[in-house]
């Protein structure tokens, strides 16, 4: 059996919100396998699952230019509001947009006005500040887009960035959809976009949970489908209740306004 350390328990507690003894018990049952322990906590209803994007985000900021958004990571919010750090983020966003670079690897290679690549400039500032910095995420679209940057605190730069690519309607309406994404953190546009392995895992967990709760075998399939419906309402943009009109889903709101969302990104820095 793998040795369970205090650090292992803390990591699981931070990820799930479970109590110390519950986390230790789950890790012991899973023989130290972190992912298996998370699943055990989910099945038994002891996990308080937070949005993964928020749990795993480093500190730092988001910045945008044109049809591009980047996330520049730092260890502390003190560095996030450092003038050099914010200037570097703006320079990288502009260079990413000019190059149409999509993804961290491509964005890291763009050349800044200084003649350095983004990766080189980040490394130099990291050495100067004495804190780990990294280009955490980058996206560049080529269709019509609406970008929304959200500040969690007035004294910090934006830490949530959303970019929506769409057809039809107008940018001001789609900005409201971007605000919905910032607030409600969907992962997909429609249920058809959910990967089959993700869906299969949710179905399996829903079935295991129903059995853990002692539900009669004959009604478990119906319970599973109901819980999958709830899952879709949480993770799929078009199935979420609209924050601007809770009588409508986002899908209905989009249809009423002649808009189709093609894709979106949501980057989040800080807690």
């Amino acid at each position: 059996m793998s040795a369970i350390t205090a650090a292992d328990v803390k990591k699981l507690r931070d990820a799930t919100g479970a109590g110390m003894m519950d986390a230790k018990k789950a890790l012991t049952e899973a023989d130290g396998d972190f992912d298996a322990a998370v699943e055990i906590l989910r099945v038994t209803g002891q996990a308080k699952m937070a949005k993964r994007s928020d749990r795993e985000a480093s500190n730092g900021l988001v910045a945008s230019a044109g049809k591009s958004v980047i996330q520049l990571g730092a260890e502390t919010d003190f560095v996030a509001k450092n003038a050099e750090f914010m200037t570097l983020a703006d320079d990288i966003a502009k260079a990413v947009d000019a190059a149409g670079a999509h993804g961290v690897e491509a964005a890291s290679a763009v050349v800044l006005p200084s003649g350095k690549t983004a990766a080189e400039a980040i490394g130099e500032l990291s050495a100067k500040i004495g804190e780990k910095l990294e280009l955490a995420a980058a996206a560049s679209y080529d269709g019509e887009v609406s970008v929304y940057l959200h500040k969690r605190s007035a004294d910090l730069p934006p830490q949530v960035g959303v970019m929506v690519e769409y057809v039809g309607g107008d940018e001001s309406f789609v900005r409201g959809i971007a605000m919905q994404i910032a607030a409600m953190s969907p992962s997909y546009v429609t249920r058809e976009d959910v990967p089959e392995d993700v869906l299969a895992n949710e179905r399996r967990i829903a079935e295991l949970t129903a059995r853990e709760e002692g539900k009669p075998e004959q009604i478990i399939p119906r319970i599973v489908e109901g819980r999958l419906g709830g899952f879709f309402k949480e993770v799929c943009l078009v199935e979420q209740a609209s924050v601007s009109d809770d009588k409508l889903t986002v899908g209905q709101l989009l249809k009423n306004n002649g808009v189709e969302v093609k894709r979106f990104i949501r980057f989040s820095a800080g807690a």
Side-chain angles (χ1 to χ4, degrees), residues 133-198:
L133 310 178
E134 64 179 358
L135 185 59
S140 187
Y141 289 166
D142 49 18
E144 291 298 317
V145 304
S146 180
V147 175
Y148 171 65
L149 304 183
H150 175 72
K151 285 188 174 186
R152 290 195 176 100
S153 175
D155 66 338
L156 292 174
Q159 292 192 305
V160 177
V162 174
M163 181 166 61
V164 181
E165 186 177 65
Y166 67 97
V167 293
D170 59 67
E171 194 276 335
S172 61
F173 168 77
V174 181
R175 180 177 168 81
I177 301 300
M179 294 173 72
Q180 165 96 24
I181 295 168
M184 303 306 294
S185 191
S187 301
Y188 312 98
V189 178
T190 71
R191 63 173 62 189
E192 287 73 29
D193 299 323
V194 180
E196 187 55 42
D197 61 328
V198 173

Side-chain angles (χ1 to χ4, degrees), residues 72 88 92 95-96 104-112 114-127 133-135:
L72 190 58
L88 177 58
I92 293 173
V96 165
V104 170
E105 183 176 355
S108 296
V110 300
V111 179
L112 306 183
S114 64
K116 301 180 179 69
T117 65
E120 290 169 341
I122 291 168
E124 286 190 6
L125 186 58
S126 177
L133 310 178
E134 64 179 358
L135 185 59

Side-chain angles (χ1 to χ4, degrees), residues 43 201-211 220 223-225 227-228:
V43 169
N201 192 52
E202 286 300 320
R203 186 183 298 277
R204 183 171 58 86
I205 288 174
E207 183 175 334
L208 288 171
T209 303
R211 290 201 166 93
I220 286 179
I223 292 172
V224 168
E225 291 309 309
R227 287 177 175 168
L228 283 179

